[in-house]
Amino acid sequence: MSIDARLQTYGKVFENWGIREKIGQGSGGKSAVFLLKRKNLTYEETCVMKVVNIIEQRGSYNETASSLRRDYEEVKRQLCNAAENEVSLMYELRGSGNIVNYLDYHFEEWEDRISFGVDLLIRMDYLSSLGNLIRTRTLSENEILRIGRDISNALMNCHARNIIHRDIKPDNIFYDQYGAYLLGDFGISRMLENSKRAETRTGTEPYAAPEQFAGGYDERVDIYSLGLTLYQLANENRLPFADSEFVKPGDIQRRLTGEDLPKPQKAGEALSRIIKRACAFRREDRYRTASELKAALEALETREEEREERAVQRGSYDTIPALQSEGFKKNPGAEVRPEPKTREMPGTEPEADCVALAREYQEKGDFEKAVLWLKKGVALGNREAMYELALSYKDGKGVPKEDEVALNLLLNYLGKETDEWKSALAKFRIGQIYENGYGGKKGRKEAERWFQESAGQGNPYAMKKFRNGKLVKEKP
């Protein structure tokens, strides 16, 4: 029986959590990931459940010969102990910086008409995968630096406990709603115990260090794999020597024989040097520790921030014609585009970077600088910047609170937004503006209309606001 067929019993394992849908599956059908939700009084929580098949035996347990049952029980005990050690390892790392949290776990024994066995159920935070992200867009150098820094920090926490991850790649890196990157999937990690060298080769071949194939290695294999991951991010989603996103055996062979890696196409000289040192062929030539790699990335990040700050102080972004136009001042939601030369201005960044930089300043609490970057993004035609700038005016962060400006921005944002979820969120924000008093007596009816439209597009937050055809007033 497949994991999917056993779901009816798994839905009751974690109290009050219901299984909504399957969102991922491992190779061979031996693992799967499901979305879980739980309703509270005023909101709905979300997390995921990973199901891993620990052991499966054909036949009926009661009809199996006693000697075979004893063998099965011994193997089951060993495998379950090993799995519990992995979970305990993750609990030890819980709360450590930039590592996915395991929230709960349970071993479930099962039997059907043709087989019996044990599954491990792990409940963990619901996060988005970097692997999925890079299949949809190219990352800026600032984002690559942040990923390198965050995952280096995760490795520092692992290596301090003598844990080698051994399978770092984009699909095992996740990010949360605040823009932090986290290392997950420790399914093949191991404790080094008293030895400082591991002797078995595991990992994903396109990202594995050369010494992993030779059989003796240490924690520097993680530095190498992280270096290759950063290489891919800075090379249009292609690993060294590959002419597409698909890696051929010959590409791997060239890397494993020590051929010098080409410069990543989208990396500046400084970032390229860091990446190539991290994935040097000889481990003696790499960064010795994850903290060394993190320090190098942070130093480059600091130089970039200083350059951006000097540009802001020079007023480079205030000289963008679109931001100075009367049309923009009267209607900040107008979708204005600068002349081509604006993109060439010294000290500016591509439009995709504007939102990323704004979020960095928001994380630091510097909302005024965040607004500068968002305004620049709007001037360059970045729709995400328009949405974020609307929230800044709505909440009065970095600018005076201006409901009318926020409303104009959101309405302009909706004008061409085709993504249903983003559209639903924007409509929910418009509903909030009206609900909070904008528009006087007519505001409540407008709030109802916008919440109803958002709820109709599947927004659970709007569904709580608009129930049974009317606006629900929340208790204070």
Side-chain angles (χ1 to χ4, degrees), residues 206-225:
Y207 300 90
E211 61 268 29
Q212 277 180 269
F213 293 84
Y217 55 87
D218 57 24
E219 59 265 29
R220 282 173 288 185
V221 298
D222 284 343
I223 294 171
Y224 183 95
S225 296

Side-chain angles (χ1 to χ4, degrees), residues 12 110 163 169 173 275 347 361 368 397 414 455 459:
K12 302 171 184 176
W110 56 270
I163 298 165
K169 57 184 179 181
I173 295 173
I275 290 173
Y361 282 116
E368 290 182 2
K397 289 188 174 181
L414 280 174
N459 185 344

Side-chain angles (χ1 to χ4, degrees), residues 259 427 429:
E259 187 171 335
K427 289 175 180 178
R429 298 301 186 187

Side-chain angles (χ1 to χ4, degrees), residues 95 189 382 415 425:
S189 64
N382 186 314
L425 284 178

